[in-house]
Each structure stands twice: as C-alpha cells, then as structure tokens.
Amino acid sequence: MNAISLLFLAAVYLSFHTKTCFCLAPFSQMLVLPLKTQELQSGSFPRSPNKLPFHHNVTLTVSLTVGTPPQNVTMVLDTGSELSWLQCNTTRVNQPTFDSNRSTSYSPINCSSPTCTNRTRDFSLPASCDSKNLCHATLSYADASSAEGNLASDTFNFGGSDIPGVVFGCMDSGFSSNSDEDSKTTGLMGMNRGSLSFVSQMSFPKFSYCISGFDFSGVLLLGEANFTWLTPLNYTPLIQISTPLPYFDRVAYTVQLEGIKVSDKVLPLPKSVYVPDHTGAGQTMVDSGTQFTFLLGPAYNALRNEFLNQTGKFLRVLDDPNFVFQGAMDLCYLVPQNITSLPLLPAVSLMFRDAEMKVSGDRLLYRARGEVRGNDSVYCFTFGNSELLGIEAYVIGNHHQQNMWMEFDLEKSRMGFAQVQCDLAGQRFGVYH
Ligand SMILES: *[C@@H]1O[C@H](CO)[C@@H](O)[C@H](O)[C@H]1NC(C)=O
Ligand SMILES: *[C@@H]1O[C@H](CO)[C@@H](O)[C@H](O)[C@H]1NC(C)=O
Ligand SMILES: *[C@@H]1O[C@H](CO)[C@@H](O)[C@H](O)[C@H]1NC(C)=O
Ligand SMILES: *[C@@H]1O[C@H](CO)[C@@H](O)[C@H](O)[C@H]1NC(C)=O
Ligand SMILES: *[C@@H]1O[C@H](CO)[C@@H](O)[C@H](O)[C@H]1NC(C)=O
Ligand SMILES: *[C@@H]1O[C@H](CO)[C@@H](O)[C@H](O)[C@H]1NC(C)=O
Ligand SMILES: *[C@@H]1O[C@H](CO)[C@@H](O)[C@H](O)[C@H]1NC(C)=O
Ligand SMILES: *[C@@H]1O[C@H](CO)[C@@H](O)[C@H](O)[C@H]1NC(C)=O
Ligand SMILES: *[C@@H]1O[C@H](CO)[C@@H](O)[C@H](O)[C@H]1NC(C)=O
Ligand SMILES: *[C@@H]1O[C@H](CO)[C@@H](O)[C@H](O)[C@H]1NC(C)=O
C-alpha cells in the first residue's frame, strides 16, 4: 500500500461518525460570482491528501474579500476538498497573503472549541493543540509535502454580502513556493460534502458553475438557480455509502458511471468495471480541482483503443513510448503546426446513471506546450490513466466541464448538467463587462 492510500485510509476511518450539523444560519440569498480559469506556472497546487500530486495548469478561481477592513483574496474552487485555507504567512515573498493581524473580525479557534474537536474528523490528520492552546491543522498532500496553520474564523464577503464566522485554515508554513512563486492565488475554497467545507458551513442547498472554454471566465452561483432561460439539466444521483471503505472518499461528489461511448459505439466492458469494489476503489468523483479526466486502467485502455481506432484514418499518432503527457496521458498525436483547426473528432460520452455527458470537439485534445516534432505540434487525448497516477478512482476534471452548466444539488443529492454557452450564461447573470 502506498502513502496515498494510507492517508486515504486514515481519512476514511476518521470520517466514521454520525454527522451533526454545525451550520451557520441557512443562507437563503442567491449569490452570483464571476469565476476565472487561471493558468498556474507550476506543477502542483496543494490540496487534499487523497488526491494525486496532480499536474495542472488551470484552476478555477474566485475573488472575494475577507476580514475587517476587507482584504482581497483569490481562492481556487475545489469540489474535491474540505477545508478552505488562506496563506497567512505575510513574510512570504511573491505570494498573495491574508494578514490576519490587520483584521479586527479575525478570531483563531481554540483547541477545546467543538469546531476543533468535532468538525475536523474528516481530515486526514487529526487537528492538534499548539503551545497557545489554538487549534492546529496539518494538511498533507499525496506528494508527501504538508502545510500547517491554525483554524480560525473571519468574515467573508461575497458579492456585497458579509458572512461572519466562516471557518478556514490560516496557514503559515508549507506549500513550498519554489515552483509556485508567481502564483496569483491566496488559498483554496473547499467545496466537498465534509462538515467544514464552505458549502456545508453555509448550508447552501445547491451551488452551480459554468466554465467558459475560450476566455478563461465563468460564473459561480451559490444557492438556488431557477431560471427559465437555463436549459433543463440532466440529473444523475449522488452516490453515498454508509460503510466506510479504505479507498472511498465519502465526502466527495460521487456519481455512477455505467458506460462510455465513442461516437455511437459503447465500449465493450461490463458495467462492473465502473462500480466501486469492496475496498471502495473505482469510485467516480466530479472534481473541479483536477484539470483532466482520469479512468481506471481497463476503462482507459478500452477507450484509448476505440478512440485510436476511430481517429487512426485522419490523425497521426505520436510514436514515442517515452512521452507520457503529465504522467498519465499516453495517447498523443502529431498535428501540423500550420493548421487552423483540428479535424472533426468522434465525441466521447460518459454515460452516468440517468444522464449522459458528451465531450466533443477541441475538448478532446490538448496541445502539449513546448512539444514540437519537426513541423508538428503534439496534441494529447484529454483522458488519462488513473493507474499511472497511482489513484484508485475515476475523476471527472474541469476541462470536460467547460461550457456545461454544472449543478451540485445537495438537498436532493443529485448532480445536474447541461451544455450551455457559458459566456452567454455569464452575460445573463451580469458578471461580464
Ligand atoms: C481589491 O479589489 C478591488 C476590486 O477589484 C479593487 O478596486 C481594490 O483596489 C483592491 N484592493 C487592494 C488593496 O488591492
Ligand atoms: C501578527 O502580530 C504578532 C504580534 O505582533 C506577530 O508575532 C505575528 O508574526 C504577526 N503575524 C503576521 C501574520 O504578521
Ligand atoms: C475556547 O473556546 C470555547 C468556545 O468558543 C470557550 O468556551 C472557551 O472558554 C475557550 N477556551 C479558552 C481557553 O480560551
Ligand atoms: C462532539 O461530538 C461528541 C461525540 O460525537 C458529542 O458527544 C458532543 O456532544 C459533541 N459536542 C458538541 C458541542 O456538539
Ligand atoms: C513564514 O514563511 C517564512 C518564509 O518562507 C518562513 O521562514 C517562516 O518559518 C514561516 N513562518 C512560520 C510561522 O511558519
Ligand atoms: C422555479 O421557477 C418556476 C417558475 O418561476 C416555478 O414554477 C418553480 O416552482 C420554481 N422551482 C423551484 C424549485 O423554486
Ligand atoms: C477498428 O475496429 C474495426 C472493428 O472493430 C476493425 O475492423 C478495424 O480494422 C479497426 N481499425 C483500425 C484503424 O484499427
Ligand atoms: C502546411 O504545410 C505543409 C508543408 O509543410 C503544406 O503541405 C500544407 O499545405 C500546409 N497547410 C496549410 C493549411 O497551410
Ligand atoms: C503550463 O503553463 C506553463 C506556462 O504558462 C507552460 O510553460 C507549461 O508548458 C504548461 N504545462 C502544460 C502541461 O501545459
Ligand atoms: C517544415 O516545413 C518547411 C516549409 O513548409 C519545410 O521546408 C521543412 O522541410 C519542414 N521541416 C520538416 C522537418 O518537415
């Protein structure tokens, strides 16, 4: 068992408890915020321990203010992790920080507080007490790095509304900034189903977002989105299990995959390959914090073969066994640099229970920057092999959520999505200038 699964195990055992709601007063208002996709210079951005030390360039970020008087912060929206955190070590160079000393509404949480003792149980490492009797949290990552700081609360301001008492981690060490020096983000907003996640604290019945494919923009909507102009969504139930299993993340947004199609051809695999096994391995998570989509080996190989089969006539495969894009994507093509658009590609459909998500067009291939062979660019298939990353799950990443209205309906325990033109949706909400 590797370090990742050990941490994962710890997280699962800690989460074996009955849930109590510690929520703030239900927030009835709907909030609309602009969402940005942002390119990061670095290889990895720290997040929850049960995740791959993932390489990604693109994150979804939301800008807001925290504290009194308000300080601007930019946070990565992550449906795959729980604790929101801000970088609070103001001595760090080249990194935006939150200065807790300048906020009169900032309040550190002490160890005996129920927030510290009761609400940190889904964390992979238990919260501890520091020398000042404050609640100390350690976040560890799959690549063995970690970050530490205190749990604290402060006022968050979204779109003009003040929300006091939001709990987050005020981190003062860790997150080696070597590779992430010009990062433009101050922290991360945890959006999973754990008790301390931002959505759980706010008791939002649902939230939704849309990410544009072209202009790095999007919209995040916290609360009910009932607009007649919005395309009806296709819904698939969120899966929850009552028994803790070592590889199953119970606070993730889990859906049930039942098949995969390439154009009209369904991959010849039994449905059982998509069902979590007795260890919990094989869960399908919808994750805004991961860029691409990863499938377990058998499904990945079948998809790779079929996509290759259907594209072999008009695309040239990069024949270089030593080149694996981001460590997990080994189907790449040579595309002449002088072409203006990619040829028409067969769509890949992810068949969830009751709903299908179709990935088509340019979202199927991603240009590997800096990779040139002769007069050709290298483009890679945007589905990767989980096994090459050492993870035991299917992960639906944000690249395939582009131009989709993605709704996380906690109240009805379901996920809805539909294709929309995201820049137009943003205009309807007035978040673009
Ligand atoms: C915070 O952001 C607002 C709006 O973008 C901007 O007007 C203001 O100058 C920023 N404040 C600081 C201290 O950067
Ligand atoms: C806040 O102020 C205290 C006391 O002056 C100081 O020890 C601490 O380093 C400051 N923290 C930050 C993040 O600047
Ligand atoms: C810790 O916080 C709890 C609840 O907020 C409070 O009742 C208690 O007095 C605090 N203890 C100390 C040592 O500050
Ligand atoms: C904290 O959790 C324990 C065990 O689940 C429970 O007995 C206790 O009442 C909880 N404390 C609060 C303040 O909810
Ligand atoms: C804050 O960051 C500086 C520079 O990275 C580091 O030397 C220092 O130990 C950090 N402070 C704390 C309290 O971890
Ligand atoms: C959504 O809006 C329609 C028309 O305004 C209304 O009939 C319906 O009850 C609303 N649904 C919810 C869940 O609020
Ligand atoms: C694609 O699959 C079909 C039938 O499965 C097979 O006859 C054909 O040779 C394959 N084509 C390529 C290019 O692999
Ligand atoms: C691209 O360049 C090749 C020669 O390198 C040429 O044959 C082809 O016509 C060019 N295509 C376009 C679209 O310019
Ligand atoms: C990520 O972005 C940086 C600069 O924006 C670029 O140099 C690097 O090649 C990109 N990596 C990938 C995998 O696209
Ligand atoms: C690249 O294209 C140019 C112009 O079309 C041609 O002269 C050259 O030979 C090509 N280079 C390779 C490596 O194919």
Side-chain angles (χ1 to χ4, degrees):
M1 198 178 290
N2 58 21
I4 301 171
S5 46
L6 274 176
L7 284 167
F8 205 159
L9 240 142
V12 167
Y13 287 139
L14 281 164
S15 69
F16 186 47
H17 63 274
T18 46
K19 278 239 161 18
T20 333
C21 189
F22 292 89
C23 319
L24 299 171
F27 202 82
S28 53
Q29 205 177 329
M30 183 199 78
L31 296 173
V32 181
L33 298 159
L35 196 59
K36 279 201 165 61
T37 42
Q38 175 167 300
E39 299 213 11
L40 294 179
Q41 196 74 266
S42 80
S44 61
F45 190 79
R47 45 203 295 265
S48 50
N50 46 12
K51 290 302 164 49
L52 37 155
F54 69 118
H55 302 278
H56 67 180
N57 262 15
V58 176
T59 55
L60 308 185
T61 63
V62 56
S63 294
L64 57 144
T65 66
V66 177
T68 316
Q71 297 176 39
N72 291 342
V73 300
T74 297
M75 300 174 90
V76 172
L77 187 81
D78 187 7
T79 60
S81 64
E82 177 170 0
L83 184 71
S84 302
W85 57 262
L86 292 170
Q87 180 53 261
C88 286
N89 184 337
T90 53
T91 67
R92 295 178 79 111
V93 285
N94 297 326
Q95 203 172 14
T97 55
F98 171 70
D99 186 350
S100 56
N101 280 352
R102 274 177 40 221
S103 173
T104 55
S105 46
Y106 175 84
S107 166
I109 286 166
N110 73 34
C111 308
S112 51
S113 145
T115 301
C116 191
T117 56
N118 276 26
R119 297 171 73 184
T120 57
R121 285 177 301 191
D122 289 331
F123 292 14
S124 58
L125 294 171
S128 60
C129 239
D130 73 3
S131 56
K132 291 176 191 141
N133 212 26
L134 297 176
C135 188
H136 188 77
T138 305
L139 304 178
S140 62
Y141 305 106
D143 63 357
S145 67
S146 68
E148 295 178 41
N150 287 320
L151 283 194
S153 70
D154 207 335
T155 300
F156 279 47
N157 184 294
F158 282 97
S161 310
D162 270 339
I163 306 157
V166 175
V167 177
F168 65 100
C170 201
M171 308 318 260
D172 48 35
S173 79
F175 306 152
S176 57
S177 58
N178 50 353
S179 54
D180 216 0
E181 247 158 26
D182 49 354
S183 161
K184 294 178 200 74
T185 53
T186 328
L188 176 144
M189 184 175 284
M191 296 292 273
N192 77 6
R193 311 179 83 181
S195 111
L196 266 186
S197 87
F198 185 71
V199 263
S200 301
Q201 286 190 61
M202 305 301 298
S203 331
F204 284 120
K206 62 171 72 161
F207 68 94
S208 40
Y209 58 75
C210 183
I211 314 157
S212 161
F214 333 101
D215 59 355
F216 297 104
S217 63
V219 55
L220 167 68
L221 205 130
L222 299 168
E224 187 72 41
N226 188 14
F227 299 98
T228 46
W229 53 265
L230 198 60
T231 325
L233 306 183
N234 301 311
Y235 285 100
T236 186
L238 288 170
I239 308 297
Q240 282 175 295
I241 62 163
S242 47
T243 332
L245 295 174
Y247 289 101
F248 198 95
D249 180 350
R250 295 207 297 162
V251 288
Y253 294 100
T254 303
V255 292
Q256 186 57 60
L257 197 56
E258 296 184 329
I260 300 175
K261 273 194 306 203
V262 182
S263 347
D264 288 330
K265 185 158 179 212
V266 179
L267 301 181
L269 292 172
K271 278 189 183 182
S272 61
V273 306
Y274 306 110
V275 176
D277 67 13
H278 64 285
T279 66
Q283 144 186 45
T284 301
M285 305 187 252
V286 179
D287 187 358
S288 68
T290 296
Q291 187 176 357
F292 297 113
T293 293
F294 299 96
L295 308 175
L296 288 191
Y300 174 74
N301 289 324
L303 174 61
R304 185 187 193 283
N305 288 341
E306 187 55 36
F307 193 76
L308 198 54
N309 181 303
Q310 295 189 27
T311 52
K313 286 209 181 71
F314 56 90
L315 280 177
R316 274 176 300 146
V317 175
L318 169 69
D319 188 14
D320 178 357
N322 295 322
F323 184 75
V324 178
F325 184 55
Q326 299 196 356
M329 290 175 266
D330 63 0
L331 174 56
C332 298
Y333 297 93
L334 292 172
V335 176
Q337 283 178 308
N338 62 354
I339 60 155
T340 49
S341 64
L342 287 171
L344 192 62
L345 299 166
V348 174
S349 302
L350 299 170
M351 301 154 75
F352 299 113
R353 182 177 300 164
D354 304 336
E356 221 173 88
M357 180 185 273
K358 191 170 171 184
V359 179
S360 59
D362 291 1
R363 285 186 296 151
L364 290 163
L365 296 182
Y366 188 84
R367 189 166 67 86
R369 251 181 278 182
E371 296 292 337
V372 174
R373 305 286 190 278
N375 284 336
D376 295 320
S377 302
V378 174
Y379 277 75
C380 297
F381 190 39
T382 50
F383 289 82
N385 187 346
S386 297
E387 274 157 33
L388 292 178
L389 291 173
I391 56 165
E392 303 288 341
Y394 295 88
V395 181
I396 314 296
N398 65 45
H399 187 73
H400 293 159
Q401 300 171 29
Q402 284 173 8
N403 281 320
M404 294 265 176
W405 190 265
M406 300 289 300
E407 180 184 278
F408 297 75
D409 186 341
L410 300 149
E411 208 169 51
K412 298 203 173 107
S413 191
R414 60 183 188 169
M415 261 213 58
F417 49 84
Q419 265 179 25
V420 293
Q421 218 181 309
C422 197
D423 48 350
L424 296 183
Q427 280 166 17
R428 301 295 284 258
F429 285 115
V431 296
Y432 300 129
H433 354 241

